Amino acid sequence: MHFESQFPFVASDDILRLANPDRFFYSEQLFCLQYLNRGQLYQDYFEPTLDEKKYLAPNREILLRLFIGEPNDYRYRSMWNKNPSGGKSLAFTKYQKISDDYMNIRTMIMGMLRLSEIYLIAAETAPTEAERLSYLNIFRMNRGYLSNSVKPGDNIQSVIRNEYAREFYGEGQYFYYLKRNN
């Protein structure tokens, strides 16, 4: 792909930094919408200080199964924190307020299409296995996986399905992947 210079993969340092982490992969956003109440959405449904029964979070064991096999995955390391109330869930932090600056555009966007989705679509639709592997491995290396972690003979469709689930957790794009693939 030739547009990475304009929309580069987000750097791991940007994702994992303590001050203002980029959990939304801003540099990869090809198309997004402004949503002024995104912070309120987080407070109403994902804020870990909410009662355990009121906030949206998966069971810890289910989430760990989704991210099994790659402890360096940036998405897991940056978007999930231990619930401060000590419950069985992990707190989802993708939409957590990262800045008090009202005009910070990163706090007001909802992604519609980003570079990672282009790579997953390319991996899903490439005409040869070698091309599918290439797109998938480039994508996965930019999420903290070891190089060439998917090899010939692996169930590529299963890997792609799992990557959609990990990449778009809390965004809704996984629904469209499932719908498209029955």
Side-chain angles (χ1 to χ4, degrees):
M1 309 230 177
H2 302 290
F3 48 83
E4 288 94 346
S5 62
Q6 301 299 316
F7 299 96
F9 278 107
V10 65
S12 64
D13 292 344
D14 293 338
I15 299 169
L16 300 173
R17 69 179 170 237
L18 295 177
N20 295 325
D22 185 1
R23 295 184 187 114
F24 212 65
F25 305 166
Y26 188 73
S27 67
E28 297 180 22
Q29 298 293 333
L30 303 176
F31 174 65
C32 52
L33 299 174
Q34 185 176 24
Y35 183 52
L36 296 176
N37 293 325
R38 193 181 93 184
Q40 189 64 47
L41 174 82
Y42 179 80
Q43 287 179 342
D44 292 346
Y45 297 106
F46 301 108
E47 179 64 51
T49 57
L50 291 170
D51 182 271
E52 178 91 14
K53 294 177 183 173
K54 292 183 181 178
Y55 84 100
L56 297 178
N59 180 283
R60 181 186 308 262
E61 287 77 31
I62 292 170
L63 184 64
L64 292 175
R65 269 188 270 157
L66 179 61
F67 285 95
I68 196 165
E70 190 50 60
N72 294 322
D73 190 314
Y74 305 145
R75 297 164 296 192
Y76 179 74
R77 292 172 53 207
S78 69
M79 287 188 256
W80 299 97
N81 290 331
K82 188 174 184 178
N83 183 345
S85 67
K88 292 183 179 180
S89 299
L90 293 173
F92 182 54
T93 61
K94 183 182 277 187
Y95 300 110
Q96 187 175 32
K97 187 176 181 180
I98 58 170
S99 172
D100 288 329
D101 181 4
Y102 177 73
M103 296 308 289
N104 185 344
I105 191 68
R106 294 177 190 217
T107 65
M108 297 183 282
I109 62 168
M110 295 296 290
M112 302 302 287
L113 180 66
R114 70 173 179 250
L115 180 64
S116 57
E117 189 173 6
I118 298 298
Y119 269 86
L120 289 171
I121 290 169
E124 194 177 354
T125 59
T128 67
E129 183 181 42
E131 288 177 276
R132 287 190 292 272
L133 290 172
S134 175
Y135 289 127
L136 200 49
N137 282 321
I138 289 169
F139 163 74
R140 288 168 59 105
M141 284 189 315
N142 284 285
R143 293 301 181 254
Y145 287 68
L146 300 174
S147 62
N148 298 325
S149 59
V150 183
K151 307 227 180 301
D154 288 349
N155 185 341
I156 294 175
Q157 284 309 116
S158 176
V159 172
I160 291 171
R161 182 183 63 245
N162 290 334
E163 289 301 336
Y164 266 96
R166 287 186 278 265
E167 184 72 8
F168 301 109
Y169 198 97
E171 293 183 38
Q173 292 302 86
Y174 184 51
F175 168 79
Y176 295 109
Y177 169 82
L178 293 174
K179 187 175 180 178
R180 188 174 66 247
N181 289 284
N182 293 324

